Short mmCIF file of all heavy atoms in Angstrom, two decimals:
data_model
loop_
_atom_site.label_atom_id
_atom_site.label_comp_id
_atom_site.label_asym_id
_atom_site.label_seq_id
_atom_site.Cartn_x
_atom_site.Cartn_y
_atom_site.Cartn_z
N ALA J 16 0.79 -1.16 -0.05
CA ALA J 16 -0.05 0.02 0.11
C ALA J 16 0.88 1.25 0.01
O ALA J 16 0.38 2.35 -0.32
CB ALA J 16 -0.89 -0.04 1.11
N THR J 17 2.22 1.09 0.37
CA THR J 17 2.89 2.34 0.43
C THR J 17 3.59 2.75 -0.92
O THR J 17 3.99 3.87 -0.95
CB THR J 17 4.07 2.13 1.53
OG1 THR J 17 4.99 1.12 0.98
CG2 THR J 17 3.52 1.73 2.87
N ALA J 18 3.70 1.82 -1.83
CA ALA J 18 4.24 2.15 -3.19
C ALA J 18 3.28 3.14 -3.89
O ALA J 18 2.14 2.81 -3.87
CB ALA J 18 4.53 0.81 -3.86
N VAL J 19 3.80 4.15 -4.56
CA VAL J 19 2.94 5.13 -5.13
C VAL J 19 2.73 4.70 -6.61
O VAL J 19 3.56 4.39 -7.39
CB VAL J 19 3.61 6.46 -5.15
CG1 VAL J 19 2.74 7.57 -5.70
CG2 VAL J 19 4.07 6.92 -3.76
N GLU J 20 1.41 4.48 -6.90
CA GLU J 20 1.04 3.99 -8.24
C GLU J 20 1.18 5.08 -9.23
O GLU J 20 0.80 6.24 -8.95
CB GLU J 20 -0.39 3.45 -8.13
CG GLU J 20 -0.53 2.16 -7.32
CD GLU J 20 0.31 1.04 -7.75
OE1 GLU J 20 0.50 0.98 -9.07
OE2 GLU J 20 0.83 0.30 -6.98
N PRO J 21 1.68 4.72 -10.46
CA PRO J 21 1.82 5.82 -11.41
C PRO J 21 0.44 6.44 -11.80
O PRO J 21 0.43 7.68 -12.06
CB PRO J 21 2.23 4.97 -12.72
CG PRO J 21 3.02 3.83 -12.09
CD PRO J 21 2.29 3.48 -10.82
N SER J 22 -0.65 5.68 -11.78
CA SER J 22 -1.97 6.35 -12.11
C SER J 22 -2.39 7.32 -11.11
O SER J 22 -2.90 8.38 -11.41
CB SER J 22 -3.07 5.13 -12.13
OG SER J 22 -3.15 4.39 -10.96
N THR J 23 -2.04 7.05 -9.80
CA THR J 23 -2.28 8.08 -8.81
C THR J 23 -1.52 9.41 -8.95
O THR J 23 -2.02 10.46 -8.90
CB THR J 23 -1.93 7.46 -7.41
OG1 THR J 23 -2.74 6.28 -7.24
CG2 THR J 23 -2.32 8.55 -6.30
N ILE J 24 -0.20 9.14 -9.34
CA ILE J 24 0.64 10.32 -9.64
C ILE J 24 0.29 11.09 -10.85
O ILE J 24 0.20 12.40 -10.82
CB ILE J 24 2.03 9.89 -9.62
CG1 ILE J 24 2.55 9.28 -8.37
CG2 ILE J 24 3.00 11.09 -9.85
CD1 ILE J 24 3.86 8.65 -8.41
N MET J 25 -0.27 10.36 -11.81
CA MET J 25 -0.60 11.01 -13.08
C MET J 25 -1.82 11.89 -12.88
O MET J 25 -1.96 12.99 -13.38
CB MET J 25 -1.03 9.88 -14.17
CG MET J 25 -1.34 10.51 -15.53
SD MET J 25 0.14 11.23 -16.37
CE MET J 25 0.90 9.75 -16.94
N ALA J 26 -2.73 11.45 -11.99
CA ALA J 26 -3.87 12.23 -11.72
C ALA J 26 -3.54 13.50 -10.93
O ALA J 26 -4.13 14.57 -11.13
CB ALA J 26 -4.94 11.42 -10.84
N MET J 27 -2.44 13.36 -10.06
CA MET J 27 -2.06 14.51 -9.27
C MET J 27 -1.30 15.53 -10.16
O MET J 27 -1.44 16.74 -9.93
CB MET J 27 -1.07 13.98 -8.11
CG MET J 27 -1.73 13.19 -7.13
SD MET J 27 -0.39 12.39 -6.12
CE MET J 27 0.40 13.77 -5.32
N THR J 28 -0.57 15.03 -11.18
CA THR J 28 0.31 15.96 -11.94
C THR J 28 -0.48 16.54 -13.11
O THR J 28 -0.39 17.78 -13.36
CB THR J 28 1.52 15.23 -12.44
OG1 THR J 28 1.19 14.07 -13.27
CG2 THR J 28 2.41 14.68 -11.36
N ASP J 29 -1.12 15.68 -13.87
CA ASP J 29 -1.87 16.27 -15.10
C ASP J 29 -0.97 17.28 -15.85
O ASP J 29 -1.33 18.48 -16.06
CB ASP J 29 -3.19 16.91 -14.75
CG ASP J 29 -4.05 17.22 -15.91
OD1 ASP J 29 -3.81 16.58 -16.89
OD2 ASP J 29 -4.93 18.13 -15.82
N ALA J 30 0.23 16.84 -16.18
CA ALA J 30 1.24 17.70 -16.74
C ALA J 30 0.87 18.34 -18.11
O ALA J 30 0.65 17.57 -19.14
CB ALA J 30 2.54 16.96 -16.87
N THR J 31 0.73 19.59 -18.22
CA THR J 31 0.52 20.40 -19.38
C THR J 31 1.76 21.29 -19.41
O THR J 31 2.53 21.44 -18.47
CB THR J 31 -0.78 21.23 -19.28
OG1 THR J 31 -0.68 22.18 -18.14
CG2 THR J 31 -1.93 20.35 -19.14
N PRO J 32 1.94 22.05 -20.59
CA PRO J 32 3.14 22.85 -20.60
C PRO J 32 3.18 23.87 -19.45
O PRO J 32 4.22 24.25 -19.01
CB PRO J 32 2.96 23.58 -22.02
CG PRO J 32 2.27 22.63 -22.80
CD PRO J 32 1.30 21.89 -21.82
N SER J 33 2.13 24.42 -18.99
CA SER J 33 2.06 25.44 -17.92
C SER J 33 2.29 24.75 -16.49
O SER J 33 2.66 25.48 -15.57
CB SER J 33 0.77 26.16 -17.91
OG SER J 33 -0.27 25.35 -17.59
N SER J 34 2.04 23.43 -16.48
CA SER J 34 2.20 22.72 -15.18
C SER J 34 3.38 21.83 -15.17
O SER J 34 3.44 21.04 -14.16
CB SER J 34 0.97 21.90 -14.83
OG SER J 34 0.79 20.89 -15.78
N ALA J 35 4.31 21.84 -16.14
CA ALA J 35 5.41 20.77 -16.22
C ALA J 35 6.25 20.82 -15.04
O ALA J 35 6.51 19.72 -14.43
CB ALA J 35 6.10 21.02 -17.53
N GLN J 36 6.64 21.98 -14.61
CA GLN J 36 7.52 22.12 -13.41
C GLN J 36 6.88 21.58 -12.21
O GLN J 36 7.52 20.97 -11.42
CB GLN J 36 8.10 23.60 -13.27
CG GLN J 36 9.09 23.96 -14.34
CD GLN J 36 10.29 22.94 -14.34
OE1 GLN J 36 10.44 22.15 -15.26
NE2 GLN J 36 11.03 22.90 -13.35
N PRO J 37 5.70 22.09 -11.87
CA PRO J 37 5.09 21.56 -10.67
C PRO J 37 4.93 20.06 -10.76
O PRO J 37 4.97 19.33 -9.72
CB PRO J 37 3.59 22.25 -10.65
CG PRO J 37 3.95 23.55 -11.38
CD PRO J 37 4.94 23.31 -12.41
N ALA J 38 4.57 19.50 -11.89
CA ALA J 38 4.46 18.08 -12.03
C ALA J 38 5.65 17.31 -11.67
O ALA J 38 5.75 16.36 -11.00
CB ALA J 38 3.99 17.76 -13.52
N GLN J 39 6.88 17.89 -12.20
CA GLN J 39 8.12 17.29 -11.88
C GLN J 39 8.39 17.46 -10.32
O GLN J 39 8.88 16.46 -9.75
CB GLN J 39 9.27 18.09 -12.54
CG GLN J 39 9.27 17.79 -14.12
CD GLN J 39 9.69 16.37 -14.36
OE1 GLN J 39 10.78 15.88 -14.04
NE2 GLN J 39 8.88 15.68 -15.18
N ALA J 40 7.98 18.46 -9.70
CA ALA J 40 8.22 18.53 -8.24
C ALA J 40 7.39 17.50 -7.48
O ALA J 40 7.94 16.95 -6.59
CB ALA J 40 7.87 19.90 -7.80
N VAL J 41 6.19 17.29 -7.92
CA VAL J 41 5.36 16.25 -7.33
C VAL J 41 5.96 14.83 -7.47
O VAL J 41 6.05 14.10 -6.46
CB VAL J 41 3.91 16.34 -7.98
CG1 VAL J 41 3.17 15.01 -7.56
CG2 VAL J 41 3.21 17.47 -7.57
N LEU J 42 6.53 14.48 -8.62
CA LEU J 42 7.10 13.19 -8.87
C LEU J 42 8.36 13.09 -7.96
O LEU J 42 8.58 12.05 -7.46
CB LEU J 42 7.49 13.05 -10.32
CG LEU J 42 6.24 13.03 -11.27
CD1 LEU J 42 6.72 13.00 -12.73
CD2 LEU J 42 5.41 11.86 -11.14
N ARG J 43 9.17 14.18 -7.91
CA ARG J 43 10.40 14.05 -7.15
C ARG J 43 10.04 13.87 -5.73
O ARG J 43 10.71 13.13 -4.99
CB ARG J 43 11.22 15.36 -7.39
CG ARG J 43 11.80 15.45 -8.76
CD ARG J 43 12.42 16.78 -9.12
NE ARG J 43 12.94 16.78 -10.45
CZ ARG J 43 13.45 17.85 -11.09
NH1 ARG J 43 13.51 18.97 -10.33
NH2 ARG J 43 13.86 17.88 -12.24
N GLU J 44 9.10 14.66 -5.12
CA GLU J 44 8.74 14.42 -3.79
C GLU J 44 8.19 13.07 -3.46
O GLU J 44 8.39 12.52 -2.43
CB GLU J 44 7.64 15.36 -3.37
CG GLU J 44 8.32 16.84 -3.06
CD GLU J 44 9.41 16.67 -2.08
OE1 GLU J 44 9.21 16.23 -0.95
OE2 GLU J 44 10.50 17.13 -2.35
N ALA J 45 7.38 12.42 -4.45
CA ALA J 45 6.88 11.04 -4.26
C ALA J 45 8.07 10.09 -4.19
O ALA J 45 8.13 9.16 -3.29
CB ALA J 45 6.10 10.65 -5.56
N VAL J 46 9.28 10.39 -4.88
CA VAL J 46 10.38 9.44 -4.82
C VAL J 46 11.05 9.57 -3.37
O VAL J 46 11.26 8.60 -2.72
CB VAL J 46 11.44 9.78 -5.87
CG1 VAL J 46 12.74 9.17 -5.57
CG2 VAL J 46 10.85 9.34 -7.20
N HIS J 47 11.19 10.86 -3.01
CA HIS J 47 11.79 11.04 -1.64
C HIS J 47 10.99 10.43 -0.49
O HIS J 47 11.49 9.90 0.48
CB HIS J 47 12.01 12.51 -1.48
CG HIS J 47 13.14 13.08 -2.30
ND1 HIS J 47 14.41 12.63 -2.42
CD2 HIS J 47 13.22 14.20 -3.15
CE1 HIS J 47 15.20 13.27 -3.17
NE2 HIS J 47 14.41 14.29 -3.76
N GLU J 48 9.64 10.56 -0.64
CA GLU J 48 8.77 10.00 0.42
C GLU J 48 8.87 8.53 0.39
O GLU J 48 8.80 7.98 1.42
CB GLU J 48 7.35 10.56 0.16
CG GLU J 48 7.11 12.01 0.41
CD GLU J 48 5.79 12.53 -0.01
OE1 GLU J 48 4.89 11.73 -0.46
OE2 GLU J 48 5.49 13.76 0.01
N ARG J 49 8.91 7.88 -0.73
CA ARG J 49 8.96 6.33 -0.86
C ARG J 49 10.28 5.99 -0.18
O ARG J 49 10.30 4.96 0.58
CB ARG J 49 9.00 6.02 -2.29
CG ARG J 49 9.01 4.59 -2.48
CD ARG J 49 7.79 3.81 -2.13
NE ARG J 49 7.86 2.42 -2.45
CZ ARG J 49 8.01 1.41 -1.70
NH1 ARG J 49 7.94 1.54 -0.29
NH2 ARG J 49 8.11 0.16 -2.06
N ILE J 50 11.40 6.57 -0.46
CA ILE J 50 12.72 6.29 0.13
C ILE J 50 12.64 6.42 1.65
O ILE J 50 13.02 5.59 2.42
CB ILE J 50 13.88 7.05 -0.35
CG1 ILE J 50 14.09 6.86 -2.00
CG2 ILE J 50 15.18 6.88 0.29
CD1 ILE J 50 14.98 7.60 -2.67
N ALA J 51 12.01 7.56 2.18
CA ALA J 51 11.86 7.79 3.54
C ALA J 51 11.05 6.66 4.27
O ALA J 51 11.40 6.14 5.34
CB ALA J 51 11.19 9.15 3.73
N GLU J 52 10.06 6.12 3.58
CA GLU J 52 9.18 5.00 4.10
C GLU J 52 10.06 3.77 4.30
O GLU J 52 9.96 3.18 5.28
CB GLU J 52 8.05 4.75 3.14
CG GLU J 52 6.82 5.77 3.19
CD GLU J 52 5.89 5.58 2.04
OE1 GLU J 52 6.14 4.69 1.25
OE2 GLU J 52 4.93 6.36 2.12
N LEU J 53 10.87 3.54 3.24
CA LEU J 53 11.78 2.35 3.34
C LEU J 53 12.72 2.36 4.50
O LEU J 53 13.00 1.47 5.17
CB LEU J 53 12.50 2.06 2.00
CG LEU J 53 11.55 1.75 0.91
CD1 LEU J 53 12.28 1.80 -0.48
CD2 LEU J 53 10.97 0.22 1.04
N PHE J 54 13.34 3.62 4.65
CA PHE J 54 14.33 3.78 5.81
C PHE J 54 13.54 3.65 7.12
O PHE J 54 14.13 3.17 8.06
CB PHE J 54 15.07 5.06 5.63
CG PHE J 54 16.22 4.94 4.84
CD1 PHE J 54 16.26 5.57 3.49
CD2 PHE J 54 17.29 4.30 5.27
CE1 PHE J 54 17.39 5.47 2.71
CE2 PHE J 54 18.53 4.19 4.34
CZ PHE J 54 18.45 4.77 3.19
N THR J 55 12.38 4.21 7.21
CA THR J 55 11.64 4.07 8.45
C THR J 55 11.38 2.62 8.77
O THR J 55 11.56 2.14 9.92
CB THR J 55 10.29 4.89 8.35
OG1 THR J 55 10.55 6.23 8.22
CG2 THR J 55 9.48 4.69 9.69
N ARG J 56 10.93 1.89 7.84
CA ARG J 56 10.71 0.44 7.95
C ARG J 56 11.86 -0.38 8.38
O ARG J 56 11.75 -1.24 9.19
CB ARG J 56 10.00 -0.16 6.63
CG ARG J 56 9.56 -1.53 6.81
CD ARG J 56 9.28 -2.12 5.43
NE ARG J 56 10.52 -2.33 4.67
CZ ARG J 56 10.45 -2.70 3.32
NH1 ARG J 56 9.34 -2.76 2.65
NH2 ARG J 56 11.64 -2.92 2.77
N ASP J 57 12.97 -0.06 7.84
CA ASP J 57 14.12 -0.95 8.07
C ASP J 57 15.17 -0.20 8.88
O ASP J 57 16.40 -0.60 8.87
CB ASP J 57 14.81 -1.24 6.62
CG ASP J 57 13.88 -2.02 5.73
OD1 ASP J 57 12.92 -2.73 6.28
OD2 ASP J 57 14.06 -1.94 4.51
N SER J 58 14.84 0.75 9.61
CA SER J 58 15.92 1.55 10.31
C SER J 58 16.87 0.75 11.17
O SER J 58 18.01 1.05 11.27
CB SER J 58 15.24 2.67 11.14
OG SER J 58 14.41 2.10 12.08
N ALA J 59 16.34 -0.27 11.81
CA ALA J 59 17.18 -1.14 12.72
C ALA J 59 18.26 -1.70 11.94
O ALA J 59 19.34 -2.02 12.50
CB ALA J 59 16.35 -2.12 13.40
N VAL J 60 18.15 -2.04 10.63
CA VAL J 60 19.10 -2.76 9.82
C VAL J 60 20.41 -1.97 9.74
O VAL J 60 21.54 -2.62 9.69
CB VAL J 60 18.60 -3.07 8.46
CG1 VAL J 60 19.66 -3.61 7.57
CG2 VAL J 60 17.39 -4.00 8.49
N PHE J 61 20.31 -0.65 9.72
CA PHE J 61 21.46 0.19 9.33
C PHE J 61 22.27 0.54 10.55
O PHE J 61 23.39 1.16 10.36
CB PHE J 61 21.10 1.47 8.48
CG PHE J 61 20.44 1.03 7.25
CD1 PHE J 61 18.98 0.93 7.05
CD2 PHE J 61 21.21 0.67 6.19
CE1 PHE J 61 18.35 0.59 5.84
CE2 PHE J 61 20.59 0.33 4.98
CZ PHE J 61 19.17 0.27 4.79
N GLY J 62 21.80 0.53 11.69
CA GLY J 62 22.55 0.88 12.92
C GLY J 62 22.95 2.26 12.96
O GLY J 62 22.36 3.20 12.48
#
C-alpha cells in the first residue's frame, strides 16, 4: 500500500506545458517520500 502507483501520480500531476515544473516537483517528492518510508521500515538494519 505504500508504493505510489503511476496512475495516482498521473492524476495528481496532469502535466501540461504550464504545469510541467510543478508536475516534476510532485514526482520528485513522491520518490523522496517512498525512500523515507523504506528507511523508516528498515531503520534497525542500518545501525
